[in-house]
Amino acid sequence: MVYMIHVTLVYVVALINLSGFAAAVWPQPAHFQYGSQVLWLSRDVQAIYKISKAEAGSTTASPREELVSGRSAISSTDILAAAFDRFKKPVLASKFVPWKFHPRGASFEPTPNSYKQYIEYINIEESADFSANGTNGVDESYSLTVSANGSVTISVASARGGIYALDTLAQLFYTYSGPSGGIYTPLAPVSIQDIPAFEHRGLNLDISRNWISPQDAMHTIDGMSFNKFNRLHLHATDAQSWPIEVPALPDLTAKGAYKPGLFWSVAELKAVQTYATYRGIDTFLEIDSPGHTASIAYAYPDLIVAFNEHDWSTYAAEPPSGQVKLNSSAVLKFFDTLYSDLLPRVSSFSSYFHSGGDEINANVYSLDPDVNSSSPQTIQPYLQTFVSHLHGLIRSHGLTPIVWEETLLVWNTSLPTNDTVIQTWLGQDSLISALKAGYKAIFGDYTHWYLDCGYGQWLDPNTTNSQTPIAPPYADYCSPLKNWRQIYAYDPLANVTANEQKLILGGEVHIWGELTDPVNLDSKVWPRAAAAAEVLWSGVQGPKGVNESVTRRLAEMRERMVDRGFEPSMVQMTWCLQNQGGCSL
C-alpha cells in the first residue's frame, strides 16, 4: 500500500560543506542532514550487532527464510552479517574518485597528511523480529547516524531495514586518489531517517523469450538491492520457451527449452530466490496463462489450440501463436500437476504467485472444437472456470494471486477483492478502474515504465505482403524509448483519490525479453530502473521533480554501479557534471 510519505516531498538539509561535496544518495532518503567533516573508513571496520528480541540466537523463523543449504532458517544476524560483508568489501575495494562532479582542476579531496579520524565500528541495532515475507507489513525503515568522532549507529526494526541502511552508508564514501589511498566521507556528521513510500517496489524480468541465466538474474538482484527494490517478478515462461524445470512434468523443459539444458533447475531457482532473500528481495514467479502458453505445445500438443499458425497475427500478439484450451479437463489436470510441483517450492520465498491473464486472443477459440467461438460472451464462462480453478490452487498453498488487468477489465471475470492483486500496464485509466472496483493494484504503465521500448521493430516485413505494417522508421509498438527522465516523471497517483491510493501496493518497472539478453541486460535496465526505484522508495515527484539535482545524484549512482561491475548507460555528459548549471535550458 502507499504509505503517508508519498505525499510529502523528500527533505535534504545540508550543513555548510567546505569541501564542495553535496550528498548524492540514491534513492533520496526521507530526512537527511549532513556536514563537512572528513572521516576515514578503517580497513578493519567491524560490525557490532544488538538484536533486541526473544531468543536472538534462535533459528526459529518464517518458512519463507529457508536456505538452499538445508539450514532451518535465515536469522536476522545471518541477514545483517551478510549485508555488512556486502557493504565492507566493495566499499574498501572501490576505485570511485568523484572528479566528474567537480569543476575542472578543482581541489576537492581531503588535505594530504592531515589528521585522520577513522570509523572503526558500525553499531547495528534491531528491535523487532525479521520476516522475509515483506507483504505481511515488515518494517523497512531505518535510521543512520554518523557522528563527528566516527561513531556509526544503524537502528532498524527488521534486518531488511539494515540492508537498506548499509547500502545508504556505502554511498557516503569516496576513494582518495593520492598515493596513500584510503576511503573517506566528507559529509560527517550525518543523520538520516528513512522509510519507503511504497510497499511493493519491483522489477519484472522476462527470462523466457531469450535465455537469461540464474547468474544473470543474481547480478540483476545485486543492482536491485543497491537501489532498494524489494520484489523480483520472474516472467518465467512464455510462448517461445519454457526455461523452468518442473520435475513432475519433465518434458516441459526437455522439449520446450530452446535447447537441451537451457533451463533453470529446481536447485538453481531456489538459489536465486535465496540469494534475493539475503538482499531484501522477495521473488515470485509468473506462469502466464491462458495466453502466452504456446511453448507447452512442444511437450503436450493436445493442450494447446492454434499452435504456431502461419497467420499468427490473427491469433496472437506475437509469434508463435497458441493458447491452452479452456473447455478441457486435461488442461485443468495439467495445471493441477504443474502447480502441485511448483507452488510448494516458491511459497517459501514470497506470498504472491502470478497467474498471468494478459493478451488473451479470442480468435484462438474459434479453432477449438470444444468452444468453437471467438465471441467473448461465449468464451468468458470458460475463462472464469479456468481462472477460478488456478486461483483456488494458488490460495490453497497460502499464496495471493496476481493477475494482469485484462482478466478483470476486459474479460469481466469475478475475482475476490480481498485477496486478488491486479497488475496494470495499459494506462492510468486501467489503474483507476481496478482501484474503484476495490482491488489492490500494482502500477507500471507501458508508456513510462517499459524498459524494452524504443529499440526498434524486431519483426521483419513480409515481402509478399504489400500492406505490411513493418515499414520505416521500423518503430516498435511502444516507441519511443523511455529515458530515465520519462521514467522519473511518471505519476501513477494522477486522478487517484486519497482513499483509492490506500489500495496501491506499489509498482514494477518491466524489462521484456524480445531484444534483451545477457549482453545488453545491464545497459537496458540501468540506470533507468534506478529512476523507478526512487519513485517507489522516495515518492512520486512527477515532471516537476525532474531537475539538475536529480540528474547529478543519478549520475553519481551510475558511477557507483560501474565501480561495482555493472555496465549501465550514461546519465549525463561529463562537461555538464563539471559545470553545474551549464546544461539547463
Side-chain angles (χ1 to χ4, degrees):
M1 66 184 63
V2 185
Y3 300 125
M4 290 183 65
I5 192 174
H6 81 259
V7 297
T8 306
L9 292 178
V10 173
Y11 298 102
V12 176
V13 181
L15 304 178
I16 296 173
N17 192 315
L18 300 179
S19 65
F21 275 87
V25 174
W26 192 279
Q28 182 87 284
H31 300 280
F32 188 4
Q33 292 180 299
Y34 63 93
S36 59
Q37 182 172 327
V38 174
L39 295 173
W40 297 79
L41 186 66
S42 169
R43 300 202 71 81
D44 296 318
V45 63
Q46 298 180 43
I48 299 174
Y49 306 103
K50 182 180 179 182
I51 310 299
S52 301
K53 62 181 182 179
E55 302 180 27
S58 171
T59 57
T60 301
S62 160
R64 292 182 174 84
E65 299 167 37
E66 294 176 357
L67 282 171
V68 168
S69 64
R71 291 172 57 192
S72 61
I74 306 174
S75 69
S76 289
T77 304
D78 289 336
I79 293 283
L80 292 170
F84 177 74
D85 193 52
R86 293 195 307 274
F87 159 79
K88 181 177 178 179
K89 288 182 178 179
V91 170
L92 290 176
S94 174
K95 306 295 184 184
F96 176 42
V97 177
W99 61 268
K100 290 183 180 181
F101 299 89
H102 299 273
R104 195 176 312 204
S107 177
F108 58 86
E109 294 186 293
T111 304
N113 303 318
S114 61
Y115 170 75
K116 293 182 178 179
Q117 178 73 54
Y118 281 92
I119 296 172
E120 304 277 359
Y121 298 97
I122 296 174
N123 298 287
I124 304 175
E125 302 174 352
E126 182 189 347
S127 61
D129 290 345
F130 168 67
S131 167
N133 178 9
T135 58
N136 282 348
V138 78
D139 187 341
E140 298 180 295
S141 65
Y142 68 90
S143 69
L144 168 63
T145 60
V146 182
S147 69
N149 66 5
S151 175
V152 178
T153 300
I154 291 170
S155 298
V156 297
S158 73
R160 189 169 288 188
I163 294 170
Y164 303 141
L166 287 164
D167 283 333
T168 295
L169 181 61
Q171 294 183 56
L172 303 180
F173 291 98
Y174 302 91
T175 300
Y176 181 65
S177 65
S180 61
I183 305 297
Y184 70 95
T185 177
L187 302 169
V190 173
S191 176
I192 295 174
Q193 293 80 42
D194 206 3
I195 185 172
F198 293 96
E199 172 188 323
H200 187 111
R201 306 181 303 279
L203 171 71
N204 175 18
L205 176 63
D206 180 357
I207 65 170
S208 56
R209 288 184 171 91
N210 280 304
W211 170 245
I212 301 292
S213 73
Q215 292 72 30
D216 298 322
M218 289 178 180
H219 176 70
T220 301
I221 288 166
D222 284 333
M224 292 174 64
S225 181
F226 198 41
N227 285 275
K228 297 183 175 65
F229 283 102
N230 69 351
R231 301 286 189 275
L232 174 60
H233 169 177
L234 286 177
H235 184 81
T237 61
D238 212 292
Q240 292 79 15
S241 81
W242 189 287
I244 293 291
E245 181 183 29
V246 181
L249 298 164
D251 281 351
L252 283 173
T253 48
K255 299 178 180 180
Y258 272 127
K259 72 171 188 175
L262 209 64
F263 61 86
W264 293 26
S265 70
V266 169
E268 286 172 325
L269 174 59
K270 189 174 184 181
V272 169
Q273 293 168 310
T274 301
Y275 191 88
T277 297
Y278 267 109
R279 287 151 183 79
I281 296 170
D282 296 342
T283 305
F284 66 91
L285 267 62
E286 177 190 355
I287 303 295
D288 206 349
S289 65
H292 296 273
T293 49
S295 61
I296 295 172
Y298 294 107
Y300 303 98
D302 291 343
L303 304 182
I304 301 296
V305 65
F307 175 62
N308 201 20
E309 291 288 332
H310 178 71
D311 181 21
W312 63 263
S313 63
T314 299
Y315 300 103
E318 61 182 48
S321 63
Q323 294 177 181
V324 292
K325 297 176 179 178
L326 286 182
N327 187 17
S328 167
S329 60
V331 166
L332 296 183
K333 184 178 180 181
F334 168 85
F335 277 95
D336 287 345
T337 303
L338 172 65
Y339 277 22
S340 294
D341 182 304
L342 193 58
L343 295 180
R345 295 191 277 118
V346 301
S347 63
S348 296
F349 297 95
S350 175
S351 60
Y352 290 137
F353 188 84
H354 203 310
S355 65
D358 63 318
E359 297 182 326
I360 302 168
N361 188 297
N363 293 329
V364 163
Y365 296 107
S366 65
L367 304 183
D368 183 350
D370 294 318
V371 177
N372 195 31
S373 176
S374 61
S375 166
Q377 290 74 25
T378 301
I379 297 168
Q380 199 277 342
Y382 297 118
L383 179 63
Q384 179 70 65
T385 299
F386 176 79
V387 171
S388 296
H389 186 81
L390 265 56
H391 286 192
L393 296 172
I394 293 168
R395 293 187 180 96
S396 72
H397 287 83
L399 297 168
T400 298
I402 303 176
V403 292
W404 292 107
E405 62 178 75
E406 293 99 314
T407 303
L408 173 71
L409 302 178
V410 175
W411 290 95
N412 299 312
T413 56
S414 177
L415 305 168
T417 56
N418 63 318
D419 68 346
T420 309
V421 176
I422 307 300
Q423 182 158 24
T424 64
W425 67 280
L426 287 171
Q428 191 67 5
D429 289 345
S430 298
L431 176 63
I432 292 171
S433 294
L435 296 172
K436 287 188 180 300
Y439 291 92
K440 293 179 181 179
I442 298 168
F443 57 76
D445 193 329
Y446 82 98
T447 62
H448 287 79
W449 278 20
Y450 269 31
L451 301 176
D452 58 302
C453 296
Y455 287 89
Q457 185 57 258
W458 54 271
L459 292 167
D460 289 317
N462 184 341
T463 56
T464 66
N465 180 8
S466 61
Q467 303 299 315
T468 177
I470 311 304
Y474 303 106
D476 54 55
Y477 83 97
C478 54
S479 287
L481 183 141
K482 318 310 176 193
N483 63 65
W484 76 259
R485 291 180 177 86
Q486 173 79 348
I487 290 168
Y488 194 85
Y490 176 39
D491 182 2
L493 304 181
N495 301 316
V496 178
T497 69
N499 282 336
E500 291 164 355
Q501 288 180 24
K502 296 175 184 177
L503 294 171
I504 297 178
L505 295 177
E508 291 182 7
V509 62
H510 305 266
I511 180 65
W512 297 109
E514 287 87 349
L515 293 177
T516 304
D517 69 2
V519 177
N520 65 0
L521 180 61
D522 264 7
S523 62
K524 277 192 167 185
V525 172
W526 309 112
R528 293 184 298 150
E534 178 150 302
V535 174
L536 292 166
W537 180 273
S538 306
V540 174
Q541 301 296 325
K544 292 182 178 179
V546 177
N547 55 53
E548 185 179 12
S549 174
V550 174
T551 299
R552 295 178 67 82
R553 284 192 301 106
L554 183 57
E556 182 164 318
M557 175 51 120
R558 186 258 182 186
E559 295 300 313
R560 292 187 182 277
M561 294 192 73
V562 170
D563 188 50
R564 291 180 174 228
F566 290 85
E567 298 182 355
S569 297
M570 285 289 295
V571 172
Q572 184 57 287
M573 181 169 58
T574 302
W575 189 93
C576 299
L577 297 175
Q578 289 191 326
N579 294 269
Q580 193 165 354
C583 293
S584 298
L585 183 64

